[in-house]
């Protein structure tokens, strides 16, 4: 029995809804009834001014960079410990990246280091809510306000997680979600842009529709549509939106199912943590997480390589995350690390992600816990 790292969720009504798109609605392109239902679901549930479904989180981030008018030479403050999409969106518009170190407890950008990285060229702070655990948003918003900066939340992993009761992605000026198959809720490939700042509402719709005001035309607000701004094709197909909508209807049960697995891992591995052998994720008191991920932190890179091998031998697929961007080829070209990299590289080398997906069986979770305990107790030798 090979235990995969991920298995995309399938909760039941996806096929029925996709059939409906094909046989009943006769509309496969974007902005059909399911796309609109998804938009409305987020707007209502997360109390946000506007949600627009997109073709990916990568594209939602690209839209954000266009909306805040990033120009060559502008600087953005971002963690180096993140996925490439967080920064590509801004690099495509000519921005320079200023990487700030992370906090070892949450792997999120260290809010206490942001202000010293601000220059007169800084345009935005881009916090990433790693593992669906929120960054210190109060502090980040306070710095942004003081220096007149935008905050773009990369909440790709943060759907259904909160900070002081607020949904991740709804606290900054713009938030971006991912519905890639590796995320908690999926449509294969897809995402959403969440708009809090009113001034972006009309323009977001235009950028998503190839720079045209076609959305207004379809609503009958204008009698012909034309090209009014720069833009691209960021509208997802109805087929994908139908898949996602089935999952949104079951969002609570998907969330609870994942949290159960997460808690099972935590309880099972607590003893190793208490002995100081490994570290486990830390959830700050203001944060409610969404069990996007369960990771352990080993001693170092070498121990991690050994445990990956040990788990693989036992048919468990466990993976690591991310090679810090500032040390990659493109990262060297497009950015600089502000001050010292104390934790980014060191902590990323220790991190190991365990299988976690909707429907991961209890006995498999226990088996994985046992194999990790085996490794540390030396009984595998
Ligand atoms: C998954 C992910 C993305 C990209 O999402 P896509 O929908 O695949 O474009 C961006 N940022 C982070 C932090 C992610 O985890």
């Amino acid at each position: 029995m090979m235990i995969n790292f991920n298995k995309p969720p399938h909760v039941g009504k996806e096929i029925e809804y996709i059939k409906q798109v094909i046989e009943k609605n006769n509309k496969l392109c974007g902005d059909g009834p399911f796309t609109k239902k998804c938009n409305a679901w987020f707007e209502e549930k997360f109390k946000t001014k506007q949600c627009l479904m997109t073709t990916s989180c990568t594209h939602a981030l690209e839209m954000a960079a266009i909306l805040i008018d990033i120009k060559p030479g502008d600087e953005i403050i971002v963690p180096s410990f993140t996925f490439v999409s967080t920064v590509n969106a801004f690099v495509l518009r000519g921005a320079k990246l200023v990487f700030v170190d992370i906090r070892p407890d949450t792997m999120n950008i260290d809010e206490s280091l942001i202000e010293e990285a601000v220059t007169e060229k800084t345009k935005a702070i881009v916090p990433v809510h790693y593992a669906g655990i929120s960054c210190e948003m109060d502090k980040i918003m306070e710095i942004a306000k003081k220096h007149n900066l935008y905050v773009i939340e990369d909440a790709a992993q943060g759907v259904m997680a909160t900070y002081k009761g607020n949904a991740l992605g709804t606290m900054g000026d713009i938030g971006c979600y991912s519905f890639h198959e590796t995320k908690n809720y999926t449509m294969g490939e897809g995402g959403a842009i969440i708009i809090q700042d009113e001034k972006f509402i009309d323009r977001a719709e235009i950028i998503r529709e190839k720079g045209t005001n076609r959305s207004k035309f379809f609503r009958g607000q204008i009698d012909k549509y034309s090209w009014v701004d720069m833009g691209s094709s960021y509208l997802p197909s109805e087929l994908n939106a139908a898949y996602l909508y089935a999952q949104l209807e079951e969002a609570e049960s998907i969330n609870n199912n994942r949290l159960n697995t997460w808690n099972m891992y935590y309880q099972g591995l607590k003893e190793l943590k208490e002995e100081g052998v490994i570290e486990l994720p830390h959830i700050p008191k203001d944060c409610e997480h969404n069990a996007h991920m369960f990771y352990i932190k080993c001693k170092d890179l070498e121990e991690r390589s050994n445990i990956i091998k040990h788990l693989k031998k036992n048919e468990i697929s466990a993976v690591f995350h991310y090679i810090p961007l500032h040390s990659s080829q493109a990262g060297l070209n497009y950015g600089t690390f502000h001050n010292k990299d104390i934790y980014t590289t060191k902590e990323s080398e220790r991190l190991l992600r365990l299988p976690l997906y909707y429907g991961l069986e209890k006995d498999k979770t226990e088996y994985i816990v046992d194999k990790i305990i085996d490794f540390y107790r030396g009984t595998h030798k």
Side-chain angles (χ1 to χ4, degrees), residues 2 6 19 40 65 79 86 92 103 126 135 143-144 159 169-170 187 204 210 260 275 283 301 315 317:
M2 182 71 202
N6 180 52
K19 224 166 123 75
T86 314
L92 280 167
R103 294 165 46 147
V126 185
C135 299
I143 297 166
V159 180
T170 67
M187 54 201 274
K210 301 105 189 159
N260 280 342
E275 291 167 19
I283 314 290
L301 190 60
E315 304 201 57
S317 163

Side-chain angles (χ1 to χ4, degrees), residues 55-61 82-86 128-130 154-157 177-183 188-191 292 321-322:
T55 32
S56 63
C57 180
T58 303
H59 284 165
L61 287 157
T82 184
F83 188 58
V84 294
S85 295
T86 314
V128 179
H129 305 298
Y130 187 69
D154 182 341
Q157 305 176 9
Y177 292 152
S178 173
F179 305 111
H180 184 262
E181 74 161 37
T182 53
K183 300 305 199 289
E189 299 274 356
H292 172 62
H321 230 188
Y322 304 105

Side-chain angles (χ1 to χ4, degrees), residues 235-248:
L235 259 173
S237 147
E238 265 292 280
L239 294 166
N240 299 50
Y243 193 100
L244 180 67
Y245 192 67
Q247 308 210 335
L248 296 181

Side-chain angles (χ1 to χ4, degrees), residues 8-229:
H10 174 214
V11 291
K13 283 207 174 149
E14 290 88 346
I15 292 171
E16 182 187 325
Y17 288 171
I18 288 172
K19 224 166 123 75
Q20 206 171 308
V21 170
I22 299 167
E23 294 176 354
K24 219 169 119 216
N25 300 355
N26 295 312
K27 185 175 167 74
L28 305 186
C29 69
D31 261 348
F34 279 106
T35 309
K36 286 182 179 149
K37 275 188 190 182
C38 290
N39 292 342
W41 191 89
F42 289 108
E43 284 168 5
E44 240 161 71
K45 177 136 179 125
F46 294 172
K47 297 181 182 59
T48 176
K49 299 213 175 74
Q50 187 187 38
C51 168
L52 294 172
M53 300 304 298
T54 60
T55 32
S56 63
C57 180
T58 303
H59 284 165
L61 287 157
E62 286 181 25
M63 284 179 64
I66 296 172
L67 280 167
I68 65 167
D69 216 8
I70 294 285
K71 294 258 185 326
D74 288 345
E75 292 178 3
I76 67 151
I77 293 174
V78 65
S80 168
F81 182 72
T82 184
F83 188 58
V84 294
S85 295
T86 314
V87 295
N88 262 327
F90 299 92
V91 166
L92 280 167
R93 312 229 62 78
K96 183 184 160 233
L97 311 172
V98 177
F99 296 114
V100 165
D101 209 2
I102 53 169
R103 294 165 46 147
D105 60 347
T106 57
M107 304 298 281
N108 284 334
I109 192 166
D110 186 337
E111 68 281 357
S112 71
L113 301 175
I114 293 175
E115 194 159 17
E116 61 187 65
V118 174
T119 72
E120 69 268 25
K121 289 186 178 156
T122 309
K123 190 86 180 253
I125 305 168
V126 185
V128 179
H129 305 298
Y130 187 69
I133 299 162
S134 183
C135 299
E136 259 321 309
M137 287 308 289
D138 276 358
K139 178 75 187 169
I140 291 172
M141 294 311 291
E142 182 194 308
I143 297 166
K145 199 164 171 210
K146 182 169 160 199
H147 296 276
N148 199 21
L149 308 174
Y150 289 114
V151 174
I152 312 294
E153 294 177 74
D154 182 341
Q157 305 176 9
V159 180
M160 292 281 284
T162 61
Y163 171 78
K164 299 188 176 174
N166 303 301
L168 303 196
T170 67
M171 291 168 279
D173 300 280
I174 298 174
C176 300
Y177 292 152
S178 173
F179 305 111
H180 184 262
E181 74 161 37
T182 53
K183 300 305 199 289
N184 293 24
Y185 311 91
T186 186
M187 54 201 274
E189 299 274 356
I193 184 165
I194 300 291
I195 309 269
Q196 279 304 58
D197 189 332
E198 305 247 1
K199 75 168 181 265
F200 295 135
I201 287 185
D202 279 347
R203 197 171 173 225
E205 219 174 51
I206 288 166
I207 291 166
R208 195 176 64 134
E209 266 284 19
K210 301 105 189 159
T212 73
N213 50 9
R214 187 152 75 171
S215 303
K216 271 203 166 115
F217 171 71
F218 282 140
R219 286 197 299 267
Q221 292 166 301
I222 45 175
D223 57 12
K224 59 177 184 296
Y225 77 85
S226 63
W227 184 34
V228 293
D229 200 342

